[in-house]
Amino acid sequence: MSDQGSANGAAVGVLEPDAPSFVSYDPAGGGEVATFPQMTAERVRAVVDEARQAAAWWSALTWAEREQRLRKWAGVITRGHEELCELVHRENGKPRDDAFLEVFLAIEHIGWAAGHARKVLRPRRVGTGLLMANHAASLEYQPLGVVGVIGPWNYPVFTPIGSIAYALAAGNAVVFKPSEYTTAIGEWIVDAFAQADPDAPHQVLRLVTGTGPTGAALCESGVDKIAFTGSARTGRKVMAACAPSLTPVLMECGGKDAMIVAADADLGQAADAALWGAMSNAGQTCVGIERVYVVDTVKDEFVAELSAQIQKLALKPGDGPGAAYGPMTMPSQVDVVRRHIDDALAKGATAVVGGAGSVRAPYVEPTVLLDVPEESSAVREETFGPTITVKGVKDVEEAVTLANATAYGLGSSVYGRRGAMTVARRLRSGMTSVNAVIAFAGVPGLPFGGVGESGFGRIHGADGLREFTRPKAITRRRWSTPFEPTTFARNPKTMTILKKYAMARYGRKK
Ligand code: NAD
């Protein structure tokens, strides 16, 4: 942050002349944004050890004290949004307005997590049943200690805050390793937290910087949980690194989200949403729409709508104010997008908009691919580019079958009127928006996460708070009875009573 200087010594460690470092670049122009230390396993462990002391202090605060500090953090981010959005634009490449949308959602999540932690996690009484009728039972959700958060680059504010805010609100300290492509943004977020509470005796949100090996070191550093967001391929490595110590993991991985367009859908709105879902953020959205299954009777009209809207809106990538979206953030992703388009065309698909010539690094122009065979990489693998496949289906039934025929299962969307909710329930994905795309991410009370290759565990909402806790069950004997069943001095009548009870309650034939 401007008033704290870059590479906050307390958070990152001062860059030493001969120590290994890495640079993050502006994906549009290629200029250097900042240089950071490539932290070693020893350094990571030292940060985690310090965070453990911070966790002890933080977890001993009251709910209200933590809420106040989290809200102050949201305040610093809100007041600094112009600087943060400029940095997101520079380091990630997305338009400034899209950066603000991301920041806005992140602030909303901080507010929700802060405001709901007590209600969701505080101790509560639980009914005991006949066997333990002389006991009181209670359940509470205790913080884990130190949570390691490993983040991606595509939503460098919204995505990590989805884990960080909920872990902090639940009473944990957090050690955050942002993506090497967006480390300056990660540093800004951590510095904002320190600035929100300058007199705090401990830093509960800490930064570690580096590439894959630093992430692996965080997994092996003794943290109490890893919240990972990234590709399924890296997710497997994270799980393997966490396995020896049985460190629990939350996996937020990729997706291949489908949209179903039914015959009674508003086609104009469906096309508008498909374009936003597929092309915004240059298609680099884990819950972006990558496949559309549209019922044959309205397929031609829908495809015509897509093309017309792309033309009317003059959808183009770029770095300037008129650009709909920015460059590909990670240079290597350009090759993936090119391979998927080429493979689809080679297998017989038609490019209705764009095509092979759309890929001009670092930008990719909008590309709509029609009738892509289901075995193509553009249908099977995460493309993460501003492309979309469209396929006609005979009915919604076939659309559901094809939408579910993927190893992923993150988000999905249904456009239609009658029966749309039933279709939504049948989609094998963690989240579905009806007559919208990605709406679930904007509702802080809803859990966010996937199934299959998209991962497991949940951020956001009450489930997202509980994800960073361990349920603690306590019983307390209130009085003794002459019918205690778990003693060697048991009264024989006890078992007679229990058997009678079991027969009366469960043993009846009808
Ligand atoms: P990635 O898997 O390449 O990297 C993610 C993070 O893991 C980075 O910080 C990276 O440095 C770190 N890492 C790399 N190797 C590691 C290792 N061996 N051990 C520990 N950490 C390691 O992913 P990415 O390219 O940064 O992000 C894009 C992916 O993230 C896409 O697949 C996208 O769909 C997914 N994503 C998912 C969600 C979600 O909520 N489900 C949100 C955003 C992005």
Side-chain angles (χ1 to χ4, degrees), residues 5 26 30 43 103 175 201-203 213 233 238 259 274 277 303-304 342 372 374 380 401 425 449 463 475 491 505:
D26 150 16
R43 183 77 188 104
V103 170
V175 178
H202 296 279
Q203 293 185 2
R233 195 161 56 95
V238 166
M259 174 191 276
V303 172
D342 289 350
V372 184
E374 289 295 292
R380 303 239 68 82
T401 304
R425 289 191 185 99
D463 295 281
T475 61
N491 180 338
R505 183 108 199 244

Side-chain angles (χ1 to χ4, degrees), residues 461-476:
D463 295 281
L465 285 166
R466 288 192 201 106
E467 189 75 39
F468 298 107
T469 63
R470 60 173 71 91
K472 174 76 179 181
I474 302 177
T475 61
R476 179 175 56 81

Side-chain angles (χ1 to χ4, degrees), residues 151 153-154 177 180 215-216 229-231 234 252-254 286 382 384 448:
W153 46 263
N154 60 336
K177 192 206 88 62
E180 55 271 37
T229 308
S231 61
T234 309
E252 293 286 351
C253 303
C286 54
E382 187 178 46
F384 235 47
F448 186 104

